[in-house]
Amino acid sequence: MSPPAAISPTRDYAQPIIAKTAASKPASTGNAKQTTIAEMENNWDSFAFNPIRESTVSRAMTRRYFADLDTHAESDIVIIGAGSCGLSTAFVLARARPDLKIAIIEAGVAPGGGAWLGGQLFSAMVMRKPADAFLREVGVEYEDEGDYVVVKHAALFTSTLLSKVLAFPNVKLFNATCVEDLITRPAEEGVRIAGVVTNWTLVSMHHDDQSCMDPNTINAPVIISTTGHDGPMGAFCVKRLVSMQRIEKLGGMRGLDMNVAEDAIVKGTREIVPGLIVGGMELSEVDGANRMGPTFGAMALSGVKAAEEALRIFDVRKKQNEL
């Protein structure tokens, strides 16, 4: 039997965006000539960084961050969770609709969720076919093993996808930020979700031992929640739907069954209540679906379907949000 073939990506959808962005914002330097790495090598005795004031560094960061907060206080789509499902959703949405303002809210300092490693801290990532199609879309090489493919390290998938998403000019990631609540509006169905309530994650973790620290808000006609299965920050939105009596109870994640679980997560990705789409393992809690363990195809394809659902309902929800 011949060894598995290494599959090279056939196209890179985000590359034109990266090239266009770089061309539209050329690097600004104090020198007419840009230094190369080759010129620095073996010349370290005379090496020196350009001079700068500490306040300049602070202003360079804060000016941009607060401009982003101002811009995205009214967003078109908010994605909660920057794991493999949330990032896949953002990739498909940003590529399809460069006109939309997309904000990603991630509670952790490091985006990527649990997809930096495979199962039990093993490095390889397994995806069952046909999820290999998504790997080709984002440009991640893999080994073809027949019914499934293997990426040599899960971090290769996560870092590649993350870099593609952040290269889109219409996407902003707010990490170390968590969603504390949902903005609601009255609707015929009982309630419509119209945005998110946010706070620094470290602040949210200390509400019980500090005085009141009020949150911030982002309005958006479509929210996509991909916060994962139950945990400290997981399944937040569906648990909140229970507490606000929009759904009676959670089904609770069932035991591991890869063949059942992955199909169920992709097929079940949908708008749960008006304005709120749920994807990824968060669905296992609301639907009582099985867990899938260390296979990641459903995360990527749930993201594809979540983006499809968002585009399907966006115009209707946007019109409702303007009332």
Side-chain angles (χ1 to χ4, degrees):
M1 179 178 176
S2 60
I7 307 298
S8 298
T10 56
R11 52 183 175 174
D12 183 350
Y13 285 99
Q15 190 59 40
I17 299 292
I18 298 172
K20 181 179 179 182
T21 303
S24 61
K25 289 189 176 181
S28 176
T29 63
N31 303 320
K33 179 180 178 296
Q34 292 182 341
T35 304
T36 67
I37 291 293
E39 290 171 333
M40 285 186 272
E41 290 174 348
N42 300 312
N43 288 294
W44 300 112
D45 289 342
S46 60
F47 172 82
F49 284 105
N50 286 0
I52 196 169
R53 287 184 64 82
E54 289 78 4
S55 60
T56 301
V57 176
S58 180
R59 285 170 171 163
M61 294 185 296
T62 56
R63 182 185 302 122
R64 286 164 175 80
Y65 195 88
F66 286 108
D68 287 332
L69 284 177
D70 181 75
T71 298
H72 290 275
E74 283 283 350
S75 292
D76 293 310
I77 293 177
V78 171
I79 299 171
I80 310 173
S84 49
C85 181
L87 291 174
S88 299
T89 304
F91 175 81
V92 176
L93 279 173
R95 185 183 67 183
R97 291 287 301 273
D99 57 310
L100 298 181
K101 281 191 296 183
I102 302 169
I104 307 174
I105 310 298
E106 167 55 43
V109 172
W116 288 109
L117 287 167
Q120 198 171 318
L121 304 184
F122 302 146
S123 57
M125 171 179 275
V126 175
M127 283 195 179
R128 295 164 60 203
K129 292 183 177 180
D132 56 315
F134 189 77
L135 296 176
R136 293 191 294 275
E137 292 285 296
V138 297
V140 175
E141 293 187 358
Y142 56 80
E143 296 177 35
D144 194 324
E145 294 281 4
D147 289 332
Y148 65 94
V149 301
V150 182
V151 178
K152 69 176 182 179
H153 201 298
L156 177 61
F157 169 76
T158 305
S159 59
T160 301
L161 178 57
L162 182 60
S163 67
K164 301 290 186 185
V165 168
L166 295 183
F168 287 111
N170 58 326
V171 175
K172 173 61 184 179
L173 168 66
F174 296 96
N175 50 320
T177 305
C178 71
V179 171
E180 289 192 337
D181 205 350
L182 300 170
I183 298 174
T184 63
R185 297 285 187 267
E188 292 182 4
E189 300 88 344
V191 70
R192 176 172 54 83
I193 308 304
V196 295
V197 179
T198 65
N199 215 326
W200 309 122
T201 302
L202 290 176
V203 170
S204 292
M205 293 171 64
H206 287 278
H207 280 319
D208 292 338
D209 55 47
Q210 296 291 329
S211 60
C212 179
M213 293 173 282
D214 283 331
N216 203 355
T217 58
I218 299 176
N219 285 101
V222 175
I223 309 300
I224 304 172
S225 188
T226 65
T227 65
H229 54 70
D230 198 7
M233 300 289 182
F236 171 80
C237 286
V238 295
K239 288 188 287 188
R240 188 68 182 95
L241 292 180
V242 173
S243 65
M244 68 172 66
Q245 299 182 341
R246 281 301 298 121
I247 56 178
E248 183 179 352
K249 64 179 182 179
L250 297 182
M253 184 171 62
R254 302 295 196 263
L256 192 151
D257 186 333
M258 289 183 181
N259 290 302
V260 172
E262 289 209 281
D263 291 357
I265 292 299
V266 175
K267 292 177 179 179
T269 300
R270 66 194 186 280
E271 188 181 38
I272 299 289
V273 298
L276 178 66
I277 294 168
V278 178
M281 289 306 295
E282 189 168 357
L283 279 167
S284 66
E285 300 290 351
V286 68
D287 288 345
N290 295 86
R291 65 184 298 184
M292 64 198 63
T295 176
F296 292 84
M299 297 298 95
L301 296 188
S302 177
V304 173
K305 190 180 181 198
E308 180 183 300
E309 290 289 299
L311 295 177
R312 181 181 64 81
I313 67 171
F314 178 75
D315 290 336
V316 172
R317 299 297 176 231
K318 182 179 180 180
K319 186 175 181 180
Q320 292 173 333
N321 229 37
E322 293 170 349
L323 298 177

